[in-house]
Amino acid sequence: MSVLAGGVAGGLLAVTPGIVRASDGQGTNRTGAPCKVAVVFDVTGKFDKSFAESAWRGVRKAREHPGLVVRELEAENPALRLQSVRVAAEGADMVITVGSEFASAVGQVAAEFPQVRFTAIEAVVSGPNVQDVHFREQEGAFLAGAAAALMSRTQILGFIGGLDLPSIERFQGGFRAGAQFVNPAVSMLTVMAGTDTETAFRDPYAGYTAAQGVMDQGADVVFAAAGATGLGAYQAVADRQRYSIGVDTDQSDLFPGSMLTAVVKHVDAVVEQAALTCNTAQWMAGRIDLGLSDWSISLAAGPESRRLLPAEVRSRLEQIQQEIISGARVVPAL
Amino acid sequence: MRPIRFGIRARLWLALMTVAGMTLVASLVAWVTNDHSSQITTQMVEGEVPAIVALSRLGQHATQLIATAPGVLFVDDQADLHEQWRRTAAAEEAMMQAVQEVQRQQGATSPVLASIERTAGRTSVQLQILLSAMEHSLALRARYRIQTEQIDVLQQEYRVLVGLLSSDVANDMAVLSDANRIMAALAEVWQVSTPERMSALEERVRGAFDRLDSLRPALIRSHTGAVELLPLIDRLRTLALADGSIFDLKRRDIQARQVAADRLATIQVLATALDRDIRTLMSASQARISVGHADVMERLGQSKLILLLSSGLSLVAAMMVAWRYVGTSVVGRLQTLADSMRAIAAGNLAAPIPTGGHDEVSDMGRALVVFRDALAHVRHVASHDPLTGLANRRLFEEKLSRDMQRAEACGTVIAINLRGFRDINNTFGHQVGDQLLLAMADRLRWAARAQDLAARLGSDDFVLLVPGLVEPEEISAYLDGLHKVLAAPVPLDVIEMEAQPVLGIARYPHDGLCAADVLHNADLAMTSSKDAMTPAVAFYNSSMGEALHRRKAIRSDLRQAIDDGHLELHYQPKVEMQTGLITGMEALVRWQHPKRGRISPMEFIPVAEQSGLILPLGTWVLQEGCRQAQAWSAAGLGDLRVAINMSPVQVLCQDVVGIVAQTLEDTGLPPNLLEIEITEGVLMQEETKAMQRLRAMRDLGVHLAIDDFGTGYSSLSYLKKMPVSCLKIDQSFVRGLMENEEDARLSRVIIGMAHDFGLEVVAEGIETLEHADFLRHEGCDLGQGYYFAKPLEHQAFERLLASPPPWQHQPVGMRSSALLPWSQTPRYTRMGA
């Protein structure tokens, strides 16, 4: 009887790994142990309601996968970025960094840990074991600009940026292009709310005053691409009952009646996917650009958006989106 | 192979198994329902408790998240603010995780949970803006302090320069007052809290500066001391009104604080909503718990019900099985059987016995039937006559007793005897006799009504009980009819028999107070009728009873009489006929009852013989007689031979030879002085034994005489068999000698025959001289009778011996000289002399 049970158990054990390996090939390293992923956040923390929080949601989803062990780290100030990445790399199979400021740190540490895979989100860095993921924000921002121009009565739009980073410039450029595509008479007021990387995306009050500033000058639709700083801008816009457009996540829940839509950057999906390729053949070093067509960027279309955007606006936006996806319209990164 | 039987054991097992099975069933049901209930309970607990824990944690974190907010307004340190920022982030993360946990517990996102998430998000936004606003405020305040320090420095300079002004220059005074106004206003800036006041103050200051500006050309022309102040005032103006001035800073600080306050207000609203939502979740959870609880209770109730029902049913089923298979089937029947047994043991053989079924109980029942039948048979046998089937004595007496005990009971008992039965039996054999008895029994059965009873008491003794028959006429008629029936000839095989019934009648309560008496009296009546030959029917009368009673009394007293010495012997002399001499005596027993007086031997000797008392009586007579004879011999009164009567009972029923020998030895009487008188009847029964004993006595030397010769069934062959030496002529012959030729002839013959045999002859009952003379003439040897003497007491006999006997004084047959062969000389001689 016990022999039989032993035989059955042995047989099951022999077969199981094969089954797991065969199913999706995800999650386990060659020896069958779970894959270790370390995710490093920047000084803005995880609850900026936009970029970092989206990454955090991706981490949560990744944790649900049985073959993964996910660790979180946070660089509390700029000086600690390098150290954080290094600590993350130790004992991990993959390191995911969230934020463009990790570029130099990743570049350094990746060389130190050639066995570890590095996925840097929005950081411009390269290496044999480095994969950097960038987004074509301009495509989403184009749609946002079109929406803003369609909804604006004063024909004056406001753009609040966090800092002069490439991604923010892409947001800005796309926004202007989209707005002027719809209505060439529209004008855009731009404000960069922050001055240094440490506080630029973590200064809601600055966003608040910046939004107040552009609204004083007549803007009635404000697009903020400034992380947590944008929260203050949206609040200022909501306080004056004007319209705003969110960024990175659908924040219309937070500012009901005020936020028309948002340019959603599906960082969560990217993080999750990256974690799942912890040690599979699907992971490849090199630069990856994601945009509207692969649904990494999208314009939020939740219940609030549907409520605030009239049907003709929405259909127009759909149309434009289709054009971009099909490649009929190319939005330059300028 | 034994057929498989559903017996007691099987039934008990069935009942047991049923009970066990039902118990098992009930236990199983209990187990299952218990299991089910505990499952539900576990589910509930495991489902809801973590949810409750998650919810409470959510509430906790929500509180934490919000609790930080108010304190932020009072933070005045950047480091503290950073700390708050960090704490807020941590609280938000914890809250998010708590929400996720609750979601996981609930299994899905509910609108409330989504609302909580949203509210938490909004709260986080507000908090971040609040913190940021405070951060800006603190930064502004820091810059403000710097500005204020610079203004303080300028104020110092101003005070120095003011001394240079002369008080009587009008322009100087104007400058002074405005400057003072500015100074004062700048000092107030910090206190200002509203933008309106701030504007008013700024206006005032700006106005002052403008005035000073307007005074400037005049001051330069006049070359007063106030000119020195002008650079200072310019510098002041820069500090006060330019960008980054205290007004600006203060204004911006107020704005920031306002924003912060607004955010706090919003947070409080959000906190209320959050609280409400969490409460909703809590109450939803509670509601679920209540529902779950209610569900559990209901199920428990249901399971209780099921359990109760199943237990009840099990119990009922078990009880029914037990009742059916053990209770009624076994115990009930056992009880019935026990009752039957008890009834039968108590005597009621008609009690019903349960024999139905195929088990041990029915076996026992059938065995009981066998026993009962045997008992009934015994009873029957005990109360009925085996041959005829009629009731026996016991049953008859019982019935008669019962009948007599009833109030007003009366009736007739008829005792029936068959007169010729013994002869029929002897002549034709027992089979014929039995057939006759059977025929009689049948006839009696036929004659008996339902309430009558016919019984057979003995060999040919029957009795019939006829209750209710009391009137003499009725009885007579009945008896006639009965006698006719019974007397009719009985056809047996080839011959016809006549039973010759004799009836004896006794009535009750007339003729007896108890059954035994009545029966006995009927028997007496029958006996008397039988004895008297005719008629065939006799009624009991009291004299029968009296005679029986008397005989009983005699029997009972006789024993006592022997012991107490109420008996005495009287002696009747035997006289030698030729000589007139007394040669011996016959000893006759006399009984003087103290109460009844003299009781004649005719009465008590038969009683003694029937009761066996004749043995001690006879022994006593023998001993007394021998003693007396020896006494008289020793006293010199002569060698007299004493004659003792012996009944056949004495000869046959005891060691008579031994007793005689012993008596002779004890008394010392010579054997030849003892004569035993016996009747011929002694040989009629056991001839051999009698002969042997008689011979033995003769061998002792004792004389034997045949008494009452000529009466009864005399057989002359006995004469030659019996070792006797003497013959006694019965007095019936002697008494009628003179009157009856036959008596005289017979006497003569007897005497001659006896002499031929060489026997002595004694004549009894000589009453007259004539008798004596005749007998003497015929050669009779000895004589005995009233002529000579009646039986005398021993003293009288002694006197008789002493004096010459009176008969010797009489002339002895003078009338017929042919009869006088002897001399008349009165003398007496001793025998043997």
Side-chain angles (χ1 to χ4, degrees):
Chain A
M1 208 46 171
S2 56
V3 171
L4 184 65
V8 169
L12 276 175
L13 269 174
V15 174
T16 307
I19 290 174
V20 174
R21 254 202 294 269
S23 65
D24 58 1
Q26 297 170 14
T28 53
N29 57 27
R30 269 148 247 117
T31 60
C35 196
K36 295 192 279 283
V37 178
V39 181
V40 190
F41 289 89
D42 207 350
V43 299
T44 50
K46 295 179 260 192
F47 298 105
D48 57 358
K49 299 285 162 286
S50 57
F51 183 71
E53 190 156 330
S54 180
W56 181 71
R57 280 189 218 272
V59 168
R60 276 217 309 209
K61 285 219 201 79
R63 280 222 173 87
E64 288 170 15
H65 288 270
L68 295 175
V69 172
V70 183
R71 202 155 54 107
E72 287 168 40
L73 294 98
E74 206 173 304
E76 284 172 30
N77 64 57
L80 292 174
R81 282 183 186 130
L82 178 63
Q83 194 183 338
S84 308
V85 175
R86 194 174 279 136
V87 168
E90 284 166 9
D93 298 314
M94 172 182 266
V95 174
I96 301 175
T97 58
V98 179
S100 56
E101 297 313 307
F102 281 110
S104 62
V106 169
Q108 236 179 296
V109 179
E112 292 168 19
F113 292 83
Q115 295 303 316
V116 180
R117 290 178 176 174
F118 287 83
T119 294
I121 298 181
E122 289 205 348
V124 180
V125 60
S126 60
N129 56 337
V130 176
Q131 174 190 70
D132 56 330
V133 180
H134 299 271
F135 298 91
R136 292 193 290 275
E137 291 91 344
Q138 67 278 15
E139 294 177 1
F142 191 89
L143 291 169
L150 290 168
M151 295 299 292
S152 172
R153 256 171 283 161
T154 61
Q155 297 301 300
I156 302 173
L157 309 174
F159 178 85
I160 315 286
L163 207 58
D164 249 335
L165 298 174
S167 58
I168 305 301
E169 281 176 5
R170 287 198 287 275
F171 270 121
Q172 185 187 5
F175 188 65
R176 177 183 292 130
Q180 286 181 336
F181 169 71
V182 163
N183 182 4
V186 128
S187 62
M188 190 172 91
L189 303 167
T190 307
V191 177
M192 287 298 161
T195 48
D196 63 271
T197 59
E198 186 177 350
T199 59
F201 294 93
R202 205 175 60 101
D203 202 349
Y205 186 70
Y208 192 93
T209 47
Q212 279 191 320
V214 300
M215 282 192 288
D216 284 342
Q217 292 176 52
D220 63 346
V221 181
V222 177
F223 175 45
T229 306
L231 297 176
Y234 305 136
Q235 184 67 51
V237 170
D239 283 350
R240 291 210 195 169
Q241 283 117 38
R242 310 265 170 98
Y243 288 136
S244 62
I245 294 178
V247 78
D248 292 339
T249 63
D250 185 358
Q251 299 153 319
S252 54
D253 263 356
L254 303 170
F255 304 96
S258 169
M259 187 168 278
L260 294 171
T261 178
V263 179
V264 180
K265 200 186 275 183
H266 295 276
V267 186
D268 52 347
V270 168
V271 166
E272 189 190 355
Q273 282 303 312
L276 286 174
T277 62
C278 181
N279 59 357
T280 65
Q282 287 162 326
W283 186 91
M284 281 186 309
R287 181 178 171 123
I288 297 176
D289 279 294
L290 304 171
L292 215 55
S293 53
D294 47 67
W295 204 245
S296 299
I297 303 277
S298 67
L299 200 66
E304 270 298 298
S305 305
R306 284 201 290 280
R307 193 166 69 87
L308 294 171
L309 293 173
E312 60 268 21
V313 170
R314 276 186 275 132
S315 60
R316 185 80 198 276
L317 291 171
E318 277 278 336
Q319 203 185 343
I320 299 171
Q321 187 174 286
Q322 272 308 110
E323 289 173 11
I324 298 173
I325 289 172
S326 65
R329 181 167 305 284
V330 174
V331 182
L334 205 286
Chain B
M1 175 167 132
R2 261 188 23 214
I4 298 170
R5 245 184 13 163
F6 194 44
I8 292 180
R9 194 181 304 183
R11 267 180 228 161
L12 282 173
W13 272 113
L14 175 68
L16 196 68
M17 285 294 128
T18 310
V19 171
M22 291 302 167
T23 310
L24 202 66
V25 163
S27 304
L28 265 171
V29 170
W31 179 281
V32 167
T33 53
N34 193 16
D35 208 33
H36 195 221
S37 303
S38 47
Q39 256 179 18
I40 293 170
T41 311
T42 309
Q43 237 174 34
M44 200 173 79
V45 167
E46 274 177 8
E48 287 305 325
V49 164
I52 293 166
V53 167
L55 262 181
S56 76
R57 218 172 268 148
L58 179 65
Q60 220 180 334
H61 291 307
T63 310
Q64 265 175 353
L65 190 65
I66 292 164
T68 55
V72 169
L73 286 178
F74 301 101
V75 169
D76 54 5
D77 186 271
Q78 286 287 355
D80 280 345
L81 209 58
H82 275 254
E83 181 57 30
Q84 290 284 26
W85 196 287
R86 207 189 49 75
R87 239 183 258 149
T88 305
E92 183 171 359
E93 182 165 9
M95 175 120 183
M96 285 303 163
Q97 275 177 345
V99 169
Q100 209 185 10
E101 186 60 34
V102 171
Q103 203 172 309
R104 214 206 326 278
Q105 292 300 332
Q106 290 187 351
T109 311
S110 62
V112 178
L113 208 57
S115 163
I116 288 176
E117 235 178 332
R118 219 174 19 248
T119 312
R122 283 186 208 160
T123 309
S124 165
V125 167
Q126 298 302 312
L127 277 169
Q128 286 185 66
I129 299 173
L130 170 65
L131 284 164
S132 176
M134 287 310 297
E135 209 172 30
H136 279 255
S137 162
L138 285 179
L140 286 166
R141 288 194 181 189
R143 284 171 61 187
Y144 185 88
R145 265 197 293 279
I146 294 168
Q147 300 285 58
T148 312
E149 277 167 19
Q150 288 185 333
I151 289 173
D152 277 343
V153 167
L154 283 177
Q155 265 187 332
Q156 298 284 61
E157 282 189 36
Y158 171 72
R159 260 192 276 268
V160 166
L161 288 174
V162 158
L164 293 175
L165 290 176
S166 47
S167 53
D168 52 344
V169 180
N171 284 345
D172 283 356
M173 283 308 109
V175 167
L176 204 66
S177 73
D178 275 324
N180 284 342
R181 206 171 281 134
I182 290 167
M183 288 299 167
L186 289 179
E188 278 180 43
V189 171
W190 181 248
Q191 314 303 327
V192 172
S193 57
T194 65
E196 297 79 30
R197 282 201 57 206
M198 179 66 71
S199 303
L201 203 62
E202 198 176 4
E203 273 307 306
R204 211 166 356 128
V205 167
R206 208 179 280 280
F209 273 117
D210 287 342
R211 272 197 299 283
L212 284 171
D213 271 349
S214 67
L215 281 172
R216 183 190 289 272
L219 284 171
I220 293 171
R221 267 183 280 124
S222 66
H223 288 288
T224 59
V227 168
E228 300 299 324
L229 286 172
L230 286 174
L232 187 133
I233 288 168
D234 283 334
R235 276 183 4 241
L236 206 57
R237 186 199 208 100
T238 312
L239 275 173
L241 300 174
D243 279 336
S245 66
I246 55 174
F247 280 102
D248 184 37
L249 289 173
K250 184 64 185 176
R251 194 175 291 118
R252 281 159 68 186
D253 179 53
I254 290 171
Q255 200 182 5
R257 291 261 154 162
Q258 186 59 51
V259 167
D262 289 342
R263 302 288 66 79
L264 192 63
T266 313
I267 284 170
Q268 275 167 353
V269 169
L270 290 172
T272 312
L274 198 61
D275 186 50
R276 194 190 55 230
D277 283 340
I278 287 176
R279 263 185 228 280
T280 306
L281 280 182
M282 282 281 191
S283 53
S285 178
Q286 242 174 338
R288 269 199 305 281
I289 288 175
S290 305
V291 165
H293 180 251
D295 190 36
V296 167
M297 291 314 286
E298 190 191 325
R299 295 221 195 161
L300 276 174
Q302 267 178 6
S303 68
K304 262 195 243 177
L305 197 67
I306 290 172
L307 188 62
L308 197 69
L309 273 174
S310 70
S311 304
L313 279 173
S314 304
L315 192 70
V316 166
M319 274 177 63
M320 279 187 65
V321 165
W323 182 72
R324 164 99 176 71
Y325 286 101
V326 176
T328 52
S329 169
V330 173
V331 172
R333 282 164 64 226
L334 277 174
Q335 268 181 341
T336 315
L337 189 65
D339 290 339
S340 303
M341 273 193 199
R342 222 177 291 125
I344 287 170
N348 174 20
L349 298 186
I353 299 173
T355 52
H358 306 282
D359 61 356
E360 295 84 339
V361 177
S362 58
D363 288 350
M364 284 197 276
R366 281 190 278 274
L368 185 63
V369 167
V370 169
F371 289 130
R372 186 218 37 208
D373 289 347
L375 203 62
H377 182 68
V378 163
R379 235 194 231 184
H380 190 268
V381 164
S383 56
H384 288 81
D385 175 51
L387 174 66
T388 60
L390 294 174
N392 65 3
R393 175 184 294 273
R394 202 169 68 88
L395 183 61
F396 185 84
E397 281 185 3
E398 272 174 21
K399 177 149 168 63
L400 182 57
S401 285
R402 273 204 309 278
D403 274 358
M404 286 178 75
Q405 270 158 22
R406 288 204 324 259
E408 315 289 330
C410 62
T412 304
V413 171
I414 305 169
I416 302 147
N417 186 262
L418 306 180
R419 210 197 292 272
F421 184 73
R422 203 200 294 190
D423 294 333
I424 294 169
N425 230 15
N426 290 340
T427 314
F428 297 95
H430 286 280
Q431 270 191 324
V432 172
D434 287 348
Q435 279 183 306
L436 184 67
L437 292 172
L438 285 169
M440 285 295 116
D442 283 337
R443 289 178 189 186
L444 278 175
R445 259 195 286 265
W446 176 88
R449 307 166 300 172
Q451 61 270 47
D452 302 340
L453 181 65
R456 180 182 172 211
L457 300 180
S459 59
D460 61 340
D461 286 311
F462 295 85
V463 68
L464 181 63
L465 169 66
V466 188
L469 189 68
V470 275
E471 297 303 317
E473 304 83 36
E474 284 179 10
I475 295 177
S476 295
Y478 186 88
L479 290 174
D480 282 341
L482 182 66
H483 192 265
K484 210 172 284 174
V485 166
L486 293 177
V490 178
L492 302 167
D493 281 343
V494 288
I495 43 169
E496 278 188 354
M497 287 279 139
E498 282 189 7
Q500 300 170 54
V502 178
L503 307 178
I505 290 86
R507 293 162 297 161
Y508 66 86
H510 186 267
D511 295 331
L513 292 170
C514 73
D517 284 349
V518 174
L519 184 59
H520 184 66
N521 292 338
D523 194 57
L524 277 178
M526 183 274 292
T527 311
S528 76
S529 165
K530 189 175 182 184
D531 290 343
M533 305 306 281
T534 58
V537 174
F539 281 77
Y540 168 79
N541 56 58
S542 49
S543 62
M544 300 178 194
E546 279 172 18
L548 179 66
H549 188 69
R550 198 168 156 77
R551 280 204 291 279
K552 268 182 152 163
I554 287 172
R555 181 163 47 242
S556 64
D557 292 343
L558 186 56
R559 177 87 247 185
Q560 202 68 32
I562 297 169
D563 295 334
D564 293 347
H566 296 152
L567 300 172
E568 55 178 19
L569 286 183
H570 287 197
Y571 302 91
Q572 192 175 39
K574 286 190 185 174
V575 174
E576 198 175 48
M577 295 301 289
Q578 297 300 329
T579 61
L581 291 171
I582 300 170
T583 55
M585 57 274 186
E586 183 176 343
L588 299 157
V589 61
R590 292 288 177 263
W591 187 4
Q592 185 70 28
H593 196 282
K595 293 204 192 80
R596 278 194 253 271
R598 172 136 304 173
I599 302 179
S600 116
M602 294 281 284
E603 277 201 78
F604 70 80
I605 294 291
V607 172
E609 281 183 334
Q610 279 166 12
S611 67
L613 283 173
I614 192 69
L615 298 177
L617 178 65
T619 307
W620 177 83
V621 168
L622 178 67
Q623 285 169 343
E624 179 60 20
C626 290
R627 187 201 63 75
Q628 187 65 69
Q630 179 58 25
W632 281 331
S633 174
L637 295 173
D639 294 331
L640 303 168
R641 183 179 292 150
V642 64
I644 311 287
N645 286 290
M646 261 198 189
S647 90
V649 177
Q650 283 174 278
V651 173
L652 294 171
C653 298
Q654 59 182 346
D655 181 21
V656 62
V657 180
I659 291 169
V660 168
Q662 188 67 41
T663 308
L664 288 174
E665 192 183 317
D666 290 340
T667 56
L669 185 71
N672 67 325
L673 291 185
L674 175 61
E675 187 169 69
I676 307 292
E677 294 188 10
I678 51 179
T679 61
E680 292 157 302
V682 76
L683 293 182
M684 278 186 48
Q685 292 152 7
E686 303 175 66
E687 187 180 317
T688 322
K689 198 198 277 193
M691 285 297 297
Q692 183 194 6
R693 290 182 182 182
L694 293 176
R695 280 204 203 98
M697 285 195 280
R698 187 209 49 200
D699 291 342
L700 285 177
V702 170
H703 284 243
L704 298 173
I706 298 179
D707 199 2
D708 302 336
F709 188 81
T711 65
Y713 293 96
S714 308
S715 169
L716 293 179
S717 67
Y718 286 160
L719 273 183
K720 76 175 170 156
K721 282 189 198 174
M722 286 176 75
V724 296
S725 54
C726 176
L727 211 70
K728 293 184 83 169
I729 301 172
D730 189 64
Q731 58 183 335
S732 60
F733 299 119
V734 173
R735 205 176 289 128
L737 272 179
M738 294 295 113
E739 291 86 33
N740 296 330
E741 265 303 318
E742 295 83 15
D743 288 336
R745 206 173 285 150
L746 277 169
S747 305
R748 204 178 292 129
V749 163
I750 292 167
I751 295 166
M753 186 177 66
H755 283 157
D756 273 338
F757 274 92
L759 303 173
E760 232 179 19
V761 182
V762 176
E764 289 184 296
I766 298 174
E767 288 169 355
T768 65
L769 178 66
E770 286 81 19
H771 293 157
D773 283 339
F774 178 86
L775 288 164
R776 191 176 50 241
H777 184 70
E778 293 303 322
C780 183
D781 301 293
L782 299 170
Q784 188 182 338
Y786 278 21
Y787 172 72
F788 298 108
K790 64 180 174 39
L792 301 168
E793 295 173 318
H794 71 274
Q795 296 107 318
F797 195 80
E798 281 165 14
R799 284 198 294 280
L800 184 67
L801 287 177
S803 59
W807 54 85
Q808 285 191 331
H809 291 141
Q810 287 191 8
V812 182
M814 290 294 279
R815 274 178 287 212
S816 55
S817 55
L819 302 171
L820 299 170
W822 62 79
S823 72
Q824 292 180 348
T825 314
R827 67 173 169 97
Y828 64 89
T829 59
R830 295 171 202 243
M831 212 54 197

